[in-house]
Amino acid sequence: MNATVHGLDPSVTITTLRSKDLLGIADLTPVEINLVLDTADAMKEIASRPIKKVPALRGKTVVNLFFEPSTRTRTSFEIAEKRLSADTLNIAIATSSVVKGETLADTAMNLEAMRPDMIVLRHSSSGACHLLSRICRSAIINAGDGMHEHPTQALLDAFTIRERKKQLKGLKVAIVGDLLHSRVLRSNILLLTKMGANVWVCGPPTLMPTEIARFGVTATSSVDEAVRDADVIMMLRIQLERMEGAFFPSLREYFNVFGMTEARMHLARPDVMIMHPGPMNRGVEIASEVADGPYSVILDQVANGVAVRMAVLYLLAGGAEHEEAA
Amino acid sequence: MKRLLKGGRVIDPANGIDGVRDILIDGDRIARVGTNLPAVDASVVDLAEGLVVCPGFIDMHVHLREPGQEHKETVATGTASAVAGGFTAVACMPNTNPVNDDANVTTYILDKARQANLARVYPIGAVSRGSKGDLLADIADLRKAGCVAITDDGHPVKTAILLRRALEYAGMFGMPVIEHCEDPSLKGDGVAHEGFYAASLGLRGMPGACEALGVERGVLLAELTGSAFHVAHMSARASLRAVRKGKDGGVRVTCEVAPHHFTLTDEALASPVPYDTNTKMNPPLREAADRDAMLDGITDGSVDAIATDHAPHHYDEKQVEFDRAPFGIVGLETAVPLSLDRLVHTGRIRLSRLVELLSVNPARILNVGGGTLSEGMPADITIVAPDMKVRIEAAKLRSRSKNTPFDGWELRGGVAATLVGGRPLFVNSEARISL
């Protein structure tokens, strides 16, 4: 596998990530992002084998520590870990001692005492992974922290785009929806702008982060403007409880103003890709005809998620260097 | 016992003094201020060149946490921290447990202060019972027991009508109403200043307008009632604008700024340590334009006082996720070095103006003693070493809590000694002084 994993662009000379953790896209360089994506290329092939397992993480212990409900991300990480032969265990909030009032720091220190190699953390508080990173020697992988980052989602999105469009540079990517509360948005903005894409973000002003222009994107509340000639349209989930915060009047009105319909989609380039990180609210941010239509790559994103997470796990475990040592 | 402080630069703005003077302390009082005073039977303290003798500094916004939260701070540890920071007196906020809305709580705090026998303590009572914002506390009782002002700090007074009544009622005793200015609905569940850094870190924001709305409300009601209104821990440029407008219109409004709001910005949320809970306070660290406005207000005289909002929290309480951490940092032992370094040595203000901000004006706003070195006054004296190199070390703070974002900072200027009622309660071993 080494040969394939390292069959990189000759200009790329790195084979591992600089940090012990993956806390966010903010910490990655474009070269590192390419390394992850190239490694994921090699990992994706494993899914097509009759025996979908390689020994890369044999003897490594990975803890999936999930303080928020998650089906897709947790399953994706677990499959990725198992395909790399890691020993995995899942801790969900309901079964942990957090219900007894233990702090995150104490939970982390107790886990750490059992010497895991990696901790995959999903938490509702922004920065929870940074707290863990300061406490733990294990590699921390951010599987989504509050409204901050969801780096593996952005990496799998980039992988999916690159698969179709060959490169990210110069593409017009429109991201539409609840920008304010979205960690997927923050990670995607960081990644796409680092890789030279032309990022447009669109949503109601009530759901737009402060000083969004400083993120290097073009912001608009006109969907038509955002999606016109777009190569990629990324829809973000609208959380149903946002109505109560008076961010918008009703789901019906939201769909009328911001929902992705076929008519709006046709303003984009003819080879547009429609993406969604899930879970979708059909008929709220996206019409079913679009979600299930020929331009949708939503299920490709899910499939690629496993390969990208395998790449991240592999690289943080030390990549080829670790394998050779073993 | 008599003590003669000899050869120091004395800054006493209330008496128009800024020059070399001797100060004779007799017992707990200042007996004489003059040049070449004879020692007679006094012990002579020769002050090294560069030391500055000031009326005792008064921190008008401190949380001593007692009763109820003694794991964070007590009256004894808080006043030890005060004298180590150059403060001869502190005014303590009523959000204890129970709330200081009752003369018994005031008496309890003052008893503890007497036992500690360190910095003077001026309790501030609650505006409303339990600081719940429904009914007025027994303000006359609180005053009789020793409260010098009222506030529902931690929160704004719940309704405009209650704030109006509080201003009217407290005005009868000449007590100011101190307000934590904030619009609760705009604050929402915000944990940081609404700006670029909160947005990129995914932290819920509260804008400067949230504070300024509270300031505007208070200024209007102070105008309506003719009573004294004091803006606590002001942080937003829009708030300063409202205060200036009020002052220009003759409204009795004053304001204080905390050292962290004239030194730090919201960039500290992201670096050097991302999500450091010691950068979480309310009001939050704001953007550079707000920080610069606070500096301008201090320079041009719009800001009346520097107060620390000393808010001790236990390590365990801060070692959590950012959005779950309590608001606040300790400030008593960092305020004077930060002020000297960032205000005086930058050329923004002169030392005499700093003395106004730290001593003269807090005494005036709270109508308490001190703020001058007049003959016959209690000998509450802060001796400053403006050029001393100071390194802030959180672990060495006298406060029971160590929650400061300034750990490791190297600053120019510090406290050489603190005397309360003539007693030297703090003498800095690193300053060239012996008392």
Side-chain angles (χ1 to χ4, degrees):
Chain A
M1 195 177 69
N2 278 355
T4 327
V5 169
H6 294 263
L8 304 173
D9 183 315
S11 66
V12 177
T13 52
I14 62 159
T15 55
T16 55
L17 303 173
R18 291 166 308 156
S19 170
K20 80 171 175 71
D21 307 312
L22 177 63
L23 302 182
I25 301 295
D27 306 322
L28 296 181
T29 62
V31 172
E32 287 177 310
I33 291 166
N34 273 327
L35 174 68
V36 174
L37 302 183
D38 292 345
T39 308
D41 269 334
M43 294 297 177
K44 188 168 182 182
E45 182 268 331
I46 295 167
S48 62
R49 296 181 190 174
I51 295 171
K52 302 179 183 60
K53 205 174 184 81
V54 293
L57 261 61
R58 197 172 51 196
K60 297 275 179 188
T61 308
V62 184
V63 178
N64 298 315
L65 184 56
F66 276 62
F67 288 89
E68 256 189 355
S70 158
T71 311
R72 197 178 327 260
T73 305
R74 196 185 56 71
T75 311
S76 180
F77 266 108
E78 198 176 345
I79 291 175
E81 291 151 10
K82 289 190 153 64
R83 286 190 179 159
L84 292 170
S85 306
D87 296 314
T88 70
L89 63 131
N90 297 311
I91 303 174
I93 185 165
T95 57
S96 82
S97 50
V98 169
V99 291
K100 295 178 210 150
E102 190 176 67
T103 64
L104 177 61
D106 278 334
T107 303
M109 284 188 275
N110 278 279
L111 282 175
E112 186 70 3
M114 294 181 260
R115 301 289 307 272
D117 296 284
M118 299 191 204
I119 298 173
V120 178
L121 179 70
R122 158 71 62 96
H123 199 284
S124 59
S125 292
S126 300
C129 297
H130 290 76
L131 177 63
L132 236 63
S133 167
R134 287 199 288 272
I135 293 170
C136 298
R137 285 201 316 199
S138 325
I140 308 299
I141 300 177
N142 184 356
D145 65 323
M147 310 189 299
H148 176 229
E149 279 223 48
H150 191 355
T152 58
Q153 178 70 43
L155 287 163
L156 75 88
D157 290 342
F159 183 87
T160 307
I161 297 170
R162 204 178 75 158
E163 238 181 3
R164 300 262 173 141
K165 308 280 186 191
K166 305 305 170 211
Q167 61 168 1
L168 299 166
K169 196 173 176 184
L171 297 179
K172 177 175 179 182
V173 182
I175 309 177
V176 185
D178 178 354
L179 309 172
L180 183 62
H181 301 96
S182 177
R183 54 192 171 214
V184 174
L185 172 85
R186 283 167 180 76
S187 286
N188 262 306
I189 287 180
L190 287 165
L191 190 151
L192 292 166
T193 53
K194 279 181 194 207
M195 303 310 281
N198 177 18
V199 182
W200 286 60
V201 297
C202 174
T206 50
L207 288 170
M208 196 114 30
T210 326
E211 297 193 56
I212 183 105
R214 277 179 73 180
F215 292 84
V217 301
T218 309
T220 174
S221 287
S222 157
V223 183
D224 290 2
E225 207 185 320
V227 305
R228 183 165 291 120
D229 299 321
D231 298 282
V232 179
I233 298 173
M234 218 178 257
M235 300 307 293
L236 298 175
R237 174 180 167 75
I238 285 294
Q239 298 198 330
L240 305 181
E241 61 268 24
R242 298 293 173 225
M243 244 178 359
E244 288 157 27
F247 289 102
F248 53 87
S250 68
L251 295 177
R252 179 181 152 276
E253 180 154 315
Y254 183 86
F255 182 74
N256 288 341
V257 182
F258 294 99
M260 191 49 56
T261 58
E262 283 190 297
R264 284 193 176 122
M265 186 182 69
H266 288 305
L267 294 170
R269 287 175 55 89
D271 58 347
V272 68
M273 299 168 65
I274 303 289
M275 307 180 78
H276 194 301
M280 275 188 288
N281 291 307
R282 291 168 179 269
V284 178
E285 69 263 6
I286 189 165
S288 285
E289 296 74 30
V290 176
D292 302 330
Y295 303 97
S296 169
V297 295
I298 294 170
L299 294 176
D300 295 347
Q301 289 173 269
V302 178
N304 291 336
V306 175
V308 165
R309 290 180 174 117
M310 286 171 76
V312 168
L313 290 158
Y314 174 77
L315 291 168
L316 287 181
E321 288 164 30
H322 157 69
E323 277 200 288
E324 279 155 22
Chain B
M1 170 181 183
K2 288 184 183 175
R3 196 179 254 125
L4 183 64
L5 304 180
K6 219 169 167 44
R9 174 181 168 195
V10 172
I11 299 183
D12 182 10
N15 289 310
I17 297 174
D18 183 350
V20 176
R21 296 284 191 286
D22 299 340
I23 294 184
L24 180 67
I25 300 166
D26 185 359
D28 64 348
R29 301 269 155 181
I30 294 171
R32 284 193 67 192
V33 180
T35 44
N36 298 317
L37 294 182
V40 198
D41 51 350
S43 67
V44 176
V45 180
D46 278 312
L47 295 179
E49 197 183 332
L51 291 181
V52 180
V53 181
C54 312
F57 295 163
I58 301 167
D59 188 345
M60 62 182 296
H61 195 130
V62 167
H63 298 270
L64 291 178
R65 303 299 190 205
E66 192 175 7
Q69 294 187 302
E70 292 83 355
H71 65 292
K72 297 175 195 256
E73 194 81 286
T74 63
V75 173
T77 60
T79 50
S81 179
V83 294
F87 291 99
T88 57
V90 295
C92 62
M93 291 292 146
N95 61 340
T96 46
N97 184 18
V99 169
N100 185 12
D101 62 353
D102 182 295
N104 288 309
V105 179
T106 310
T107 304
Y108 178 87
I109 293 167
L110 287 172
D111 281 346
K112 291 288 177 183
R114 237 183 314 277
Q115 287 161 27
N117 203 16
L118 295 164
R120 294 180 202 278
V121 173
Y122 299 117
I124 295 173
V127 165
S128 62
R129 288 175 199 220
S131 280
K132 291 189 191 310
D134 300 320
L135 303 167
L136 286 179
D138 288 332
I139 294 167
D141 270 7
L142 289 169
R143 172 166 177 79
K144 201 172 156 206
C147 286
V148 298
I150 53 170
T151 184
D152 274 350
D153 184 56
H155 303 282
V157 174
K158 195 162 87 180
T159 60
I161 184 63
L162 192 72
L163 180 56
R164 175 191 179 170
R165 298 288 185 243
L167 283 160
E168 287 169 336
Y169 195 83
M172 165 168 71
F173 309 110
M175 289 167 97
V177 176
I178 300 174
E179 175 75 330
H180 170 119
C181 296
E182 176 179 287
D183 179 89
S185 71
L186 261 189
K187 180 190 175 232
D189 47 9
V191 297
H193 172 63
E194 186 177 298
F196 173 74
Y197 291 98
S200 57
L201 293 169
L203 297 173
R204 287 172 204 273
M206 40 180 148
C210 163
E211 176 183 284
L213 269 176
V215 177
E216 296 274 11
R217 181 182 81 161
V219 170
L220 287 169
L221 293 174
E223 183 177 28
L224 180 67
T225 59
S227 297
F229 177 72
H230 179 77
V231 179
H233 44 52
M234 186 174 70
S235 65
R237 57 193 192 273
S239 303
L240 180 62
R241 211 156 56 219
V243 166
R244 280 180 179 145
K245 197 175 68 184
K247 288 186 168 190
D248 289 347
V251 179
R252 295 175 64 196
V253 56
T254 52
C255 64
E256 71 194 28
V257 172
H260 48 271
H261 286 130
F262 66 71
T263 50
L264 297 172
T265 66
D266 56 352
E267 191 179 354
L269 298 166
S271 69
V273 181
Y275 300 101
D276 181 355
T277 54
N278 288 331
T279 62
K280 179 177 176 181
M281 60 286 280
N282 186 21
L285 297 176
R286 299 208 185 267
E287 59 201 56
D290 292 304
R291 191 266 318 267
D292 294 346
M294 295 308 108
L295 286 168
D296 290 344
I298 287 168
T299 310
D300 71 16
S302 313
V303 171
D304 298 280
I306 292 171
T308 66
D309 193 10
H310 178 82
H313 292 293
H314 192 269
Y315 166 84
D316 287 343
E317 295 162 323
K318 281 287 198 180
Q319 174 76 349
V320 296
E321 300 88 320
F322 191 91
D323 53 3
R324 293 179 195 199
F327 291 106
I329 60 169
V330 291
L332 282 166
E333 293 167 74
T334 50
V336 170
L338 287 166
S339 300
L340 287 166
D341 190 282
R342 297 306 168 97
L343 301 177
V344 176
H345 290 306
T346 53
R348 284 194 163 269
I349 61 170
R350 296 191 307 174
L351 266 171
S352 57
R353 168 77 180 132
L354 184 63
V355 173
E356 289 172 13
L357 290 159
L358 285 168
S359 180
V360 180
N361 293 346
R364 176 176 55 83
I365 294 164
L366 295 176
N367 303 310
V368 296
T372 93
L373 294 170
S374 302
E375 293 174 359
M377 295 290 287
D380 291 1
I381 296 171
T382 302
I383 303 176
V384 166
D387 293 310
M388 184 170 68
K389 281 186 182 157
V390 170
R391 185 184 155 83
I392 309 285
E393 289 180 72
K396 291 189 178 170
L397 296 177
R398 261 74 159 189
S399 170
R400 181 161 283 181
S401 294
K402 317 295 177 193
N403 50 312
T404 175
F406 300 112
D407 189 27
W409 280 41
E410 291 183 352
L411 299 163
R412 182 173 159 208
V415 176
T418 310
L419 289 80
V420 179
R423 297 171 300 142
L425 296 179
F426 172 73
V427 179
N428 193 331
S429 57
E430 286 168 37
R432 290 174 299 153
I433 188 166
S434 58
L435 282 166

